[in-house]
Amino acid sequence: LEADEKRSLLRRLSEVEALESYLHKAFLGKKQFSIEGLDALVPMLDETIELSAEAGAREVILGMAHRGRLNVLAHTVGRPYESILVEFEGEQTLSADTAAPEGGTGDVKYHYGASGIYKTGADKRITVSLSHNPSHLEYVNPIIEGRARADQTSRKARELLHDPSAVIPVLIHGDAAFPAQGIVAETLNLQALEGYSTGGTLHLIANNQLGFTTDPQEGRSTRYASDLAKGFDMPIIHVNADDVEACISAVRLAMDFRQTFGRDALIDLIGYRRFGHNETDEPAYTQPLMYERIKEHPPVRKIYAERLAKDGVVSAEDAEQLAAAAYQEVADAHTELKESLGGAPDTGQHELDRTMSREPRTTLPLETLRTINEQLLRTPDGFSVHRKLQPLLERRRKVFEEGERVDWAHAEALAFASLLALGASVRLTGQDTERGTFSQRHLVLHDAKTGDEWCPLKELRDAVAPFELHNSPLSESGCLGFEYGYSVQAPDTLVLWEAQFGDFVNSAQVIVDQFLVSGL
């Protein structure tokens, strides 16, 4: 790194440390899930964003659990200190209210998401978004992938245009959760599949060598927390969180790999957790030897400041002034906030409009349906439909010629086709969805002699919007999470996911409970 880069890196570490230190002092015993011990994560995200913008990306989408989230909100997303401090003030104001022990917003502050504009060193502007995430740790992973895929995809014309360079997904994992929660493997398995690829995700394991109170040897059967990733053809880079320049180099290597090969890369950031699982916890109850060593171990800002002073990059006095200025900035923000508070903080609760919405008109002229039906039954010259399928297609023609009843799969195809003709894009994915589990759908036909595929819904003469159809891997949580994320970013698209059988969806219950239902 150049001297200017080193000074900037020290300044950033000072800001990271200052926020955590101030919160500890001003709100003693309040939960913040401190990043301390993994402070290098924030400058690593800075480097990721800088490189993404340099490569032409317009957005970086982040997914993470609660460890270090407040610092990422402040320094990576750019949320003002006041908006974080007000949550602590609200918690103190309302602490006697048993109905709202965590404050009045309906969720805890370390589950929140936010979006902001990041200005790079090269004076470029790039959007940075951190997704909301409840307590289920890694379950946000496929949602980030779905959001990224939707934002990378243009649906303005009949043909889908997918540009993986436009949006970069970044997932921050826990060292205990990465090998232990199956949703991680489900998400990794999506990386190179046609309907799910995002051109490579940067994975960062925030490795504090401890899962709540569980030691690594009790929590996994592998040597490294990252070993699960070995099965998915991605590089794994191990780096010491106390060596901040090596951490920056690790990001450059991982992003270069993504840029070159369009696949995932993983950094195992090995550090520690300076305090307990949260600030009300006493970690020495269960890890007395580890925490005796941590107590004597200097923070990374101090380690780096001493190194730069030794190399003549900054003086010891300059380093201390940087730290003091960063701390004072947080303190000043808190002073201004307290002066502006005229009462209890805004709870964020608003009354919902529950009046009945106007019933939409969903009918279509018979002639329109007849025309669409003929297009759905058309095949290229010389295409050999399987002999057992031919009667099914003929029955669909007789619906309009002889008044036969419309079956469910036929009605579904007509509905999709009419939406495409009206300009609404459709994305349908799931387990054996192209044919249909009950051999009823047959949206994709396979030439009985050559194996060539034909999807009439993608070839409609009257369509003005794209149709996307994919058989999914045999995954419920991962795939439903992906489609939920996609739907959040593409509200103008009908996004559907199909489990093979009704009981299969039970495997995606966390996504249903924590995202679909909670997000309504």
Side-chain angles (χ1 to χ4, degrees):
L1 298 181
E2 299 293 330
D4 286 347
E5 293 177 299
K6 293 179 179 182
R7 284 189 284 268
S8 295
L9 189 49
L10 180 61
R11 181 178 296 106
R12 186 54 121 189
L13 291 173
S14 300
E15 292 168 345
V16 170
E17 181 183 271
L19 177 60
E20 302 291 355
S21 299
Y22 188 85
L23 293 178
H24 281 304
K25 181 179 178 181
F27 304 101
L28 186 65
K30 295 297 181 182
K31 296 179 184 177
Q32 67 192 63
F33 293 96
S34 163
I35 200 174
E36 291 163 274
L38 293 167
D39 309 51
L41 177 64
V42 172
M44 290 173 77
L45 292 176
D46 288 339
E47 186 69 15
T48 301
I49 296 165
E50 294 277 350
L51 293 173
S52 298
E54 187 181 307
R58 52 179 166 77
E59 184 177 9
V60 172
I61 300 182
L62 306 170
M64 67 184 298
H66 40 269
R67 174 75 51 209
R69 191 178 188 88
L70 297 181
N71 222 300
V72 170
L73 280 168
H75 297 125
T76 306
V77 182
R79 194 176 175 197
Y81 288 147
E82 291 86 346
S83 67
I84 294 172
L85 292 163
V86 75
E87 295 295 332
F88 286 90
E89 287 290 344
E91 187 176 317
Q92 299 215 128
T93 303
L94 298 168
S95 60
D97 183 353
T98 55
E102 295 285 358
T105 57
D107 203 350
V108 290
K109 53 192 170 293
Y110 36 81
H111 289 174
Y112 292 153
S115 184
I117 302 298
Y118 186 105
K119 185 178 178 181
T120 72
D123 208 24
K124 292 185 177 180
R125 296 180 183 272
I126 180 170
T127 300
V128 180
S129 301
L130 174 65
S131 274
H132 297 269
N133 187 22
S135 291
H136 280 75
L137 303 177
E138 302 288 337
Y139 277 80
V140 76
N141 293 353
I143 290 159
I144 298 301
E145 300 297 339
R147 284 188 60 182
R149 172 79 184 204
D151 274 356
Q152 292 170 346
T153 304
S154 172
R155 295 166 293 277
K156 295 179 180 178
R158 179 168 167 168
E159 295 295 324
L160 283 171
L161 296 176
H162 179 225
D163 179 11
S165 68
V167 180
I168 312 298
V170 178
L171 291 175
I172 302 167
H173 307 274
D175 55 302
F178 189 83
Q181 296 196 325
I183 190 70
V184 176
E186 289 191 35
T187 305
L188 293 177
N189 187 51
L190 299 176
Q191 66 160 317
L193 302 182
E194 182 184 355
Y196 301 89
S197 172
T198 54
T201 296
L202 176 62
H203 300 269
L204 288 156
I205 296 180
N207 191 340
N208 53 41
Q209 305 183 68
L210 193 59
F212 201 161
T213 67
T214 302
D215 288 320
Q217 64 269 24
E218 297 170 320
R220 63 176 184 263
S221 296
T222 60
R223 181 179 182 185
Y224 294 108
S226 57
D227 282 344
L228 170 69
K230 289 179 178 178
F232 295 94
D233 293 335
M234 67 177 71
I236 300 171
I237 306 162
H238 304 277
V239 66
N240 184 343
D242 274 352
D243 188 345
V244 287
E245 291 187 16
C247 291
I248 300 302
S249 296
V251 170
R252 291 176 178 177
L253 176 58
M255 290 296 287
D256 195 38
F257 181 88
R258 194 249 185 209
Q259 187 77 5
T260 303
F261 299 105
R263 292 183 66 93
D264 292 12
L266 171 65
I267 299 173
D268 184 10
L269 177 66
I270 303 174
Y272 58 93
R273 187 185 72 194
R274 183 161 291 278
F275 299 100
H277 178 67
N278 62 59
E279 284 62 35
T280 65
D281 177 48
E282 174 49 79
Y285 289 155
T286 45
Q287 278 78 29
L289 300 182
M290 173 186 276
Y291 276 88
E292 192 61 35
R293 293 186 66 179
I294 289 173
K295 190 188 301 183
E296 302 301 321
H297 189 73
V300 66
R301 181 206 62 81
K302 185 176 182 181
I303 293 172
Y304 194 53
E306 290 176 352
R307 175 181 165 185
L308 294 189
K310 183 179 178 181
D311 293 343
V313 178
V314 296
S315 68
E317 292 76 17
D318 287 344
E320 288 308 310
Q321 285 177 5
L322 274 178
Y327 189 89
Q328 191 60 46
E329 186 177 352
V330 185
D332 290 345
H334 194 196
T335 299
E336 290 180 21
L337 171 67
K338 285 189 288 188
E339 290 173 352
S340 69
L341 286 176
D346 184 3
T347 64
Q349 294 177 342
H350 304 282
E351 187 172 341
L352 297 176
D353 180 3
R354 301 184 185 278
T355 56
M356 186 71 73
S357 59
R358 185 175 62 84
E359 190 68 24
R361 181 173 174 270
T362 59
T363 58
L364 287 169
L366 179 63
E367 193 54 40
T368 298
L369 290 172
R370 190 193 309 276
T371 301
I372 288 174
N373 192 59
E374 282 303 314
Q375 294 177 52
L376 289 173
L377 296 173
R378 184 176 62 86
T379 57
D381 292 341
F383 191 92
S384 299
V385 177
H386 194 282
R387 60 182 179 81
K388 291 184 179 180
L389 265 183
Q390 199 63 53
L392 179 143
L393 300 181
E394 288 303 317
R395 282 198 302 273
R396 293 182 178 181
R397 179 171 280 112
K398 289 178 181 179
V399 165
F400 292 93
E401 293 179 351
E402 303 175 16
E404 293 278 346
R405 295 185 66 180
V406 181
D407 62 41
W408 282 104
H410 189 193
E412 178 190 65
L414 291 169
F416 290 158
S418 66
L419 285 171
L420 299 174
L422 291 169
S425 56
V426 178
R427 176 180 165 94
L428 171 61
T429 66
Q431 296 162 353
D432 304 287
T433 289
E434 292 183 0
R435 191 194 80 172
T437 300
F438 303 101
S439 198
Q440 84 287 7
R441 182 173 285 136
H442 297 289
L443 290 182
V444 176
L445 302 176
H446 297 259
D447 190 296
K449 296 179 179 177
T450 66
D452 292 343
E453 296 181 1
W454 173 257
C455 179
L457 277 166
K458 293 183 179 180
E459 308 294 339
L460 289 177
R461 183 186 66 242
D462 295 342
V464 292
F467 179 67
E468 194 172 1
L469 174 67
H470 303 285
N471 281 342
S472 75
L474 196 61
S475 157
E476 287 83 37
S477 286
C479 286
L480 180 56
F482 188 100
E483 301 309 333
Y484 172 76
Y486 195 105
S487 70
V488 167
Q489 296 303 112
D492 56 342
T493 298
L494 176 62
V495 180
L496 306 108
W497 173 78
E498 181 178 56
Q500 193 170 59
F501 293 95
D503 57 343
F504 279 37
V505 76
N506 293 343
S507 297
Q509 199 62 46
V510 171
I511 300 295
V512 173
D513 291 346
Q514 296 292 341
F515 292 96
L516 283 172
V517 175
S518 300
L520 292 176

